[in-house]
Each structure stands twice: as C-alpha cells, then as structure tokens.
Amino acid sequence: MAAPGSDIEHGFPHLDTVRAALTALYKRLSYDGVRTYELSVAPGDVAFCDQDDLYLGVQRVARVMVRQLRLPDARMIVSFREMRHAGNIELAAGPEYFIELNSRFKTHHRDIGAALAHEVTHVYLHRLDLSFPGTRANEILTDTTAAYLGAGWLLLDAYRQDSVSSQKLGYLTPEEFGYVLAKRALAFGEDPAIWFTSPQAYEAYTKGLDVARNDERQPPLAASGWAGRRRYARDRRFAQADPEAPPPSGPAGYAFESGSPLRVSFPCPTCRQRIRVPVRGRMRARCGLCRTVLECDT
C-alpha cells in the first residue's frame, strides 16, 4: 500500500509474469472452469459506508469474496493491526482463515473490499495448489487471478492520486491491473469501466485496454497492422530460404520452426498459450486451451 505522497510505479514492468499467470490460470481451471466466473462482484454487494458496523460489514464483504471465488466452507476471521502492507493472511488447511487488515481501514472503509479481494484470492490459490516461485511473482499471480476472476476491479478502483497524496493496493501497477481487466472484458464482454469511482483508475484501465487490444493485432494474426505484416513477411522469407536456420523470434512473440512444412508459433491473445500452425497463408486457428478462434495470415 502506497504511503501518502509516495511515488507509484507505472507502466508494464511485470507484463511477462502477468501473461504467464493468465496461462497458468487457464491450465489449472480449464476453459469451462474459467467461464464460471462470467460475472464480477457487483458494486452494491461490497458497498461499505461509514455508518455500517465495522466488523459486521467486514464479515459481509468477506463472504461476498468467498462466494465470488467459489470457495467452499471457507470462513474468514478478520482483525486489524498496524502494518506496512494493506493486509496479511496465514494460510493453513482451513476451514477457518485469519486475515489481518491494516488498521487504517478502520476509518477508511471504502477500500476494505479491495484489500479482502487480494487476501481471499490467496486462499483460493492455496486451495487450487497454484503458485509461482518467489514472493513477488506469487503476489502478481494473486492480483492477476483476483482481477481476471471478477473480484480485482476493486483493487484498481482503490488507486487514487492527487497533488498531496497517493494510494495503490496490490503488486501490479495500475496499468497492469487495467490490462488484466481489459483481457477479462474482451473475453467475457463485461466492461468494468462503468464501476470505477476513481478517475485515475479509469485512465489506467484505458491504457491497459490499448495494450490488450494490441495483443490481438500482432502477426501472424490477420488483424495485424502494416508494419507488423511487413516485418513478419521478411522473417518468413528468411525462414523459407534456410529452413535449418530460421530467424530469431519476432518482437511480437512469433517464432518460426524448421521442418516441412515450415511452422510458426505465437501466443494466443486471450490466454497467452502458444499456438503452432503451418505456414500456408490465410487460415483459421483455434486455441486448444481457451478455445479462442483466430483468423491468421501465416
């Protein structure tokens, strides 16, 4: 959690890990499993005004997160204490989990839902037995999962910044949260922009949406732009001229594979799983992991 007046990291420094997290989520849940999270947490379900009883309200919002993430028999016991981070959770076998939230949330109820979204997602991943090596990568996996499965839009909405103070929850940058939420919006047809109360969150979402849409315009996808198509055609000529020594991977992530016929592999724009197809011009490919159908010009 950023302290008032502190600098907040921006941009996409963790994008590779975020994309790996999306792939891992699809692999662990399967396409059908991911589709069960078609609806996000509703703003009204996590609304928390200053007149609400603190502990009853916290338990209510925690139950909302448990339901959103389809956690069976998971009881969250929430307390508050002084700490550097927004929250902490001790993971054990359950069925009870003890969550500690930063004591500032006692008087700042607005973002309790965001903090609980992150901590309850830790429980969810623990039960899935899904993790990444290293603390930071694992926290990025947690934020990505929360956002992609419909609870984490609250984490982006908690991002606020003005001339005298700043706040951001989670380990992703605001733009990376925007990217994951945009990926969800493109996959599920659910636009979270109407829920944002923070203008900074909306701006970060639009930047993330630009990057997510750009994923869908990379060669060999038929929707790629002129510059990308030209670079791809050049690399393809090199690969066809010397099949035993294909050119290095393109900046867009595609890579030619020697053989007969020549093949090209590239990341699926939805789940980032690599797709491998023969080089034979216009064709339609289907991702075996997320079932996205892609128009390609190989």
Side-chain angles (χ1 to χ4, degrees), residues 80-137:
F80 297 84
R81 72 173 175 89
E82 294 287 341
M83 67 176 81
R84 178 173 177 268
H85 298 289
N88 182 57
I89 188 167
E90 291 294 330
L91 294 174
E96 293 183 340
Y97 295 89
F98 295 88
I99 296 175
E100 294 177 316
L101 295 183
N102 192 301
S103 58
R104 75 182 295 271
F105 290 119
K106 283 185 174 183
T107 54
H108 294 78
H109 297 173
R110 177 178 176 181
D111 298 317
I112 283 177
L116 287 173
H118 180 91
E119 301 307 329
V120 175
T121 303
H122 271 301
V123 176
Y124 176 77
L125 292 171
H126 176 67
R127 289 201 166 195
L128 274 185
D129 194 24
L130 178 60
S131 64
F132 279 179
T135 299
R136 177 162 291 276

Side-chain angles (χ1 to χ4, degrees), residues 14-262:
H14 315 111
L15 192 56
D16 288 344
T17 307
V18 169
R19 286 169 168 168
L22 290 175
T23 306
L25 201 57
Y26 270 95
K27 285 182 176 180
R28 185 65 181 84
L29 293 180
S30 79
Y31 167 82
D32 292 327
V34 171
R35 296 303 298 188
T36 63
Y37 297 89
E38 213 162 352
L39 297 177
S40 291
V41 167
D45 290 343
V46 292
F48 201 137
C49 67
D50 290 338
Q51 288 72 40
D52 290 345
D53 179 271
L54 175 63
Y55 290 94
L56 290 178
V58 166
Q59 290 299 326
R60 172 179 59 81
V61 175
R63 286 194 297 271
V64 170
M65 295 304 166
V66 168
R67 288 197 303 270
Q68 175 66 25
L69 295 174
R70 316 290 193 272
L71 279 170
D73 305 323
R75 182 167 174 244
M76 307 295 160
I77 299 173
V78 185
S79 62
F80 297 84
R81 72 173 175 89
E82 294 287 341
M83 67 176 81
R84 178 173 177 268
H85 298 289
N88 182 57
I89 188 167
E90 291 294 330
L91 294 174
E96 293 183 340
Y97 295 89
F98 295 88
I99 296 175
E100 294 177 316
L101 295 183
N102 192 301
S103 58
R104 75 182 295 271
F105 290 119
K106 283 185 174 183
T107 54
H108 294 78
H109 297 173
R110 177 178 176 181
D111 298 317
I112 283 177
L116 287 173
H118 180 91
E119 301 307 329
V120 175
T121 303
H122 271 301
V123 176
Y124 176 77
L125 292 171
H126 176 67
R127 289 201 166 195
L128 274 185
D129 194 24
L130 178 60
S131 64
F132 279 179
T135 299
R136 177 162 291 276
N138 212 44
E139 294 290 356
I140 291 170
L141 170 64
T142 302
D143 281 341
T144 302
T145 300
Y148 201 74
L149 298 187
W153 68 268
L154 292 158
L155 285 158
L156 178 54
D157 197 41
Y159 164 51
R160 290 182 289 278
Q161 193 166 21
D162 56 36
S163 59
V164 296
S165 65
S166 60
Q167 173 185 279
K168 184 188 78 69
L169 303 185
Y171 287 72
L172 299 184
T173 68
E175 293 78 15
E176 288 167 342
F177 270 121
Y179 174 81
V180 180
L181 291 171
K183 284 291 190 185
R184 174 181 169 81
L186 293 171
F188 292 91
E190 181 190 68
D191 185 3
I194 58 173
W195 301 326
F196 294 135
T197 61
S198 163
Q200 292 83 18
Y202 181 82
E203 182 181 353
Y205 173 70
T206 59
K207 291 178 180 178
L209 181 59
D210 287 342
V211 176
R213 284 178 170 158
N214 192 52
D215 287 348
E216 300 180 339
R217 297 192 291 262
Q218 297 301 318
L221 299 176
S224 60
W226 176 83
R229 295 295 316 155
R230 184 173 182 179
R231 183 178 63 244
Y232 178 84
R234 179 199 62 199
D235 291 341
R236 181 178 57 196
R237 284 196 302 271
F238 281 121
Q240 291 170 331
D242 188 0
E244 297 304 318
S249 300
Y254 61 81
F256 291 99
E257 301 176 5
S258 58
S260 182
L262 183 69

